[in-house]
Amino acid sequence: CCDEEYPKITVQGEGKIETMADKAYFNVTVRVEEKKLQSAFEKSTERINSLTDTLTANGVKKNDVRNLGYIYHPLYEGKRIFSSVTRPTSYEVVYTLKVTLYNLENLGKILIGLSDIQEISVYWLTYTSTKIEELKREVLKKAANDAREKALKLAEGAGATLGKVLNIETQTYFPEQKGTPDNRLWYAK
């Protein structure tokens, strides 16, 4: 056969879905500075225990708290990490945990409870859905249907009929939302 080009219509379809967030996650960092390294470790352990107690009291399961790591290092005068001075003035210990929540009703209580613990920071609060894969399939199906409807209208206007689909390319945008757990938009092209 030959490389004859067939008449074709190229269209872009869009699909959108809004859903309520039912999952959130955030990072918590415990940062402790003490004159002695052992004291810094002990104090950071106290903070981690307080943090864990607050999470457990609000229904967070142990498996939903993941240790992202910890570091410790000496600090020299002026809070510098490296120095030609032979003796550090203090030591800093930093632990970071990732917390995943499946019950967003307790989020406010958890954040308030964590705010009572000294020397911790909460950041990267992100809302998402436990049904992301299902939502992705659904929104891609909507985008394909939208593209087909557009192609049908174009073919009808040109006095033609549609044949089989020759090519499909997808661009998807499934954001994980930061902010409040209001309705979220899942979008695909």
Side-chain angles (χ1 to χ4, degrees):
C1 192
C2 55
D3 285 341
E4 182 180 321
E5 183 152 329
Y6 294 95
K8 62 183 171 184
I9 296 173
T10 302
V11 292
Q12 180 174 320
E14 292 184 5
K16 296 179 184 180
I17 294 177
E18 291 187 47
T19 188
M20 293 294 289
D22 63 354
K23 176 182 172 182
Y25 57 89
F26 57 88
N27 289 356
V28 182
T29 295
V30 175
R31 183 179 304 269
V32 173
E33 180 184 343
E34 289 290 321
K35 293 208 178 282
K36 294 188 176 197
L37 183 59
Q38 183 63 35
S39 298
F41 274 119
E42 290 169 1
K43 194 170 182 183
S44 64
T45 299
E46 288 174 18
R47 300 294 187 258
I48 290 289
N49 289 340
S50 295
L51 186 155
T52 306
D53 291 346
T54 298
L55 295 172
T56 304
N58 286 287
V60 178
K61 295 177 183 165
K62 194 173 190 176
N63 292 346
D64 295 332
V65 179
R66 195 174 87 200
N67 185 350
L68 296 180
Y70 76 94
I71 60 170
Y72 64 93
H73 51 83
L75 294 175
Y76 299 91
E77 198 166 312
K79 305 255 183 200
R80 293 180 309 179
I81 295 175
F82 300 104
S83 174
S84 60
V85 177
T86 57
R87 292 197 174 254
T89 56
S90 61
Y91 294 88
E92 184 176 56
V93 175
V94 181
Y95 280 93
T96 302
L97 303 173
K98 180 177 183 176
V99 179
T100 303
L101 299 178
Y102 294 96
N103 181 357
L104 299 185
E105 291 177 15
N106 290 340
L107 179 59
K109 288 183 204 174
I110 290 169
L111 294 176
I112 289 169
L114 294 177
S115 71
D116 291 338
I117 302 170
Q118 294 180 348
E119 300 168 312
I120 72 163
S121 302
V122 176
Y123 56 97
W124 289 346
L125 176 58
T126 303
Y127 295 93
T128 188
S129 174
T130 56
K131 301 172 187 166
I132 283 185
E133 292 308 314
E134 178 184 327
L135 293 169
K136 285 180 182 179
R137 286 189 298 274
E138 191 176 329
V139 78
L140 287 171
K141 194 180 293 185
K142 285 184 176 208
N145 288 336
D146 182 51
R148 181 160 182 76
E149 287 177 25
K150 289 177 180 177
L152 283 169
K153 286 179 185 175
L154 286 170
E156 183 182 314
T161 59
L162 289 182
K164 65 179 184 173
V165 174
L166 300 176
N167 185 32
I168 294 177
E169 294 179 18
T170 61
Q171 294 177 338
T172 55
Y173 177 63
F174 301 106
E176 293 185 300
Q177 300 293 323
K178 300 189 184 335
T180 61
D182 299 335
N183 287 343
R184 297 297 172 208
L185 188 64
W186 305 94
Y187 179 75
K189 285 185 179 178

